[in-house]
Amino acid sequence: VGIYQAYLSVALVVLSLWIIKHTLIKKETVGQYIAGMAVSIVIAAGTYIAGLWYRLKGGELSSYQGISNATLLHSFKWYLNRFTDAFLDICKVFITDTYENRYVLFAVGFIWTFTTVFIILRIAHLIKNGYIISTLYGSLALLLIPVSVYSMNLLSDGVFYYSLMLESVAVVWILPLLVLDEKGDFSHSEKWKEIICNLMVLCFILNLWGYMVVDNISYLASHISYEKSYAISERIVDRVEQTEGYKDMESIYLCGNIDQEKYDDVNFKNKSVIGNNIIPYETKTYTFFINIYLGENYTLLNDMDRSGMDKIEEIQRTLEFQDMPVWPELGCTKLIDNVMVVKLSEIE
């Protein structure tokens, strides 16, 4: 797994689309592709054997994304579940999680309905004209598109798919474009053919417009989140500088996190959009806002090594700390043993 997860999925989806183009659409023979498949199998087997040899020699693979437990030796039921989940997940990505606007949903439905109908008619046409092997090879590549998107799931149970790993979903949109570009006869009427092609183009434009709207709303939410985080950080610094003895502090300890329920999210059709979190982590992000964006130069105990953690535990045991109210109450900042303590929330 020397390749980043997203790259592998993108490469497999592009390969599948390339095979579909040359088999189902261009009606070419598949003999020249068998060697490529053999090479792919050899590379996959070689990668697995290399990892197995490394472990047999006493080495330990990374636990990231279940790599250390990766194996090709799974039961048929395990692989069947992965294949089924791949189809369900890609349907969820394309429909359930993305489209709220009914016009965009219609556009997406029209594009994929037409694409599906065209491919079915093309398969029937190829079988009728004796292109059996080409049809089987192209149909297999078609079925493997969802599996290619979620190919990392075929490694182990420890794989977790996050948004960055789903870049290959965008590549899947090439399939209806391949169909739209095809000049073959899917209808005996050239007039209907022209109407359908124009509708496809309009639906693509509508779909792109939908993406643009959602993306801009998400960017707006991210910007508002930034402004909220900046404002809160500025208030923290202002409160610190008003605390008695703050000039004697050697470091600062931020306990907990801001109660985000007090701050409204940016919502779109009653759904919270990406980018709403206010300072989601109590270490690095606070450092960015307070020390970088506000131009301060505080040493945060949260960011230090074991000595910082020891100091935090020592502070938490003091009565002064335990009696402190929580932000933004008066007294939520206090100098304890030359450490400026900011109590954003109670210790869980």
Side-chain angles (χ1 to χ4, degrees):
V1 286
I3 311 173
Y4 189 70
Q5 302 99 310
Y7 302 162
L8 175 62
S9 298
V10 169
L12 290 174
V13 172
V14 170
L15 177 61
S16 298
L17 293 171
W18 184 76
I19 293 172
I20 291 168
K21 175 183 177 180
H22 286 275
T23 53
L24 295 184
I25 295 179
K26 297 300 181 182
K27 299 184 291 187
E28 297 178 1
T29 58
V30 298
Q32 57 185 316
Y33 309 135
I34 295 177
M37 178 181 284
V39 171
S40 301
I41 293 173
V42 169
I43 291 174
T47 304
Y48 173 72
I49 292 171
L52 181 62
W53 175 82
Y54 182 72
R55 280 184 280 192
L56 291 174
K57 295 284 286 185
E60 292 185 6
L61 296 177
S62 170
S63 60
Y64 177 68
Q65 290 286 33
I67 293 173
S68 58
N69 298 320
T71 175
L72 300 178
L73 304 177
H74 295 290
S75 65
F76 175 77
K77 183 179 179 180
W78 189 92
Y79 281 107
L80 182 61
N81 289 335
R82 292 300 180 279
F83 276 70
T84 303
D85 290 344
F87 281 88
L88 294 176
D89 287 342
I90 200 167
C91 289
K92 182 180 179 182
V93 169
F94 267 85
I95 301 175
T96 310
D97 290 348
T98 308
Y99 303 101
E100 291 291 333
N101 186 296
R102 63 179 181 272
Y103 301 109
V104 177
L105 189 59
F106 167 79
V108 174
F110 179 82
I111 290 171
W112 287 106
T113 298
F114 170 74
T115 302
T116 302
V117 170
F118 173 84
I119 289 176
I120 291 174
L121 292 176
R122 172 64 56 157
I123 289 174
H125 175 75
L126 292 176
I127 294 175
K128 182 179 178 180
N129 288 274
Y131 292 91
I132 305 299
I133 302 299
S134 180
T135 304
L136 290 175
Y137 202 77
S139 300
L140 178 61
L142 188 67
L143 292 174
L144 288 178
I145 286 180
V147 181
S148 298
V149 172
Y150 293 93
S151 55
M152 293 300 295
N153 279 337
L154 299 177
L155 286 178
S156 72
D157 292 317
V159 176
F160 171 74
Y161 259 84
Y162 47 88
S163 299
L164 186 61
M165 292 173 63
L166 288 174
E167 290 184 18
S168 53
V169 171
V171 185
V172 178
W173 280 105
I174 294 177
L175 181 58
L177 290 176
L178 290 176
V179 170
L180 182 62
D181 189 54
E182 170 56 25
K183 305 301 182 184
D185 292 328
F186 54 84
S187 171
H188 294 293
S189 171
E190 289 297 322
K191 181 179 179 180
W192 279 107
K193 180 177 178 179
E194 183 178 351
I195 292 174
I196 292 176
C197 286
N198 288 331
L199 278 175
M200 282 278 283
V201 173
L202 289 174
C203 286
F204 267 111
I205 293 172
L206 183 59
N207 188 34
L208 288 173
W209 170 81
Y211 274 124
M212 289 166 57
V213 170
V214 173
D215 287 347
N216 276 281
I217 290 172
S218 296
Y219 276 114
L220 172 63
S222 297
H223 180 72
I224 293 175
S225 174
Y226 167 83
E227 294 294 343
K228 291 177 181 178
S229 299
Y230 190 97
I232 292 172
S233 299
E234 199 167 32
R235 286 188 65 195
I236 291 174
V237 172
D238 185 56
R239 191 68 74 86
V240 166
E241 292 179 347
Q242 293 179 24
T243 305
E244 184 179 354
Y246 88 94
K247 291 184 178 180
D248 297 326
M249 72 175 182
E250 298 175 356
S251 56
I252 185 171
Y253 165 43
L254 298 167
C255 174
N257 201 357
I258 298 291
D259 183 6
Q260 297 193 33
E261 293 181 356
K262 296 179 181 179
Y263 299 88
D264 293 332
D265 281 348
V266 177
N267 291 286
F268 176 60
K269 288 188 176 293
N270 299 320
K271 282 191 175 183
S272 179
V273 295
I274 297 172
N276 277 322
N277 287 338
I278 306 170
I279 311 185
Y281 306 107
E282 61 184 40
T283 54
K284 294 298 182 185
T285 314
Y286 277 121
T287 304
F288 290 153
F289 274 91
I290 294 176
N291 283 353
I292 298 177
Y293 294 141
L294 296 181
E296 301 297 333
N297 191 27
Y298 296 146
T299 299
L300 275 73
L301 290 183
N302 314 64
D303 292 344
M304 294 173 63
D305 53 16
R306 185 60 199 175
S307 61
M309 296 304 299
D310 292 340
K311 190 66 175 179
I312 288 174
E313 293 175 3
E314 181 183 327
I315 291 172
Q316 290 175 352
R317 287 194 293 265
T318 63
L319 291 176
E320 286 182 282
F321 174 82
Q322 295 172 14
D323 292 339
M324 288 175 63
V326 173
W327 175 275
E329 299 296 327
L330 186 64
C332 65
T333 58
K334 183 176 288 188
L335 189 67
I336 302 177
D337 195 15
N338 292 331
V339 175
M340 181 59 65
V341 178
V342 183
K343 198 171 185 179
L344 301 175
S345 66
E346 296 289 354
I347 301 173
E348 295 182 359

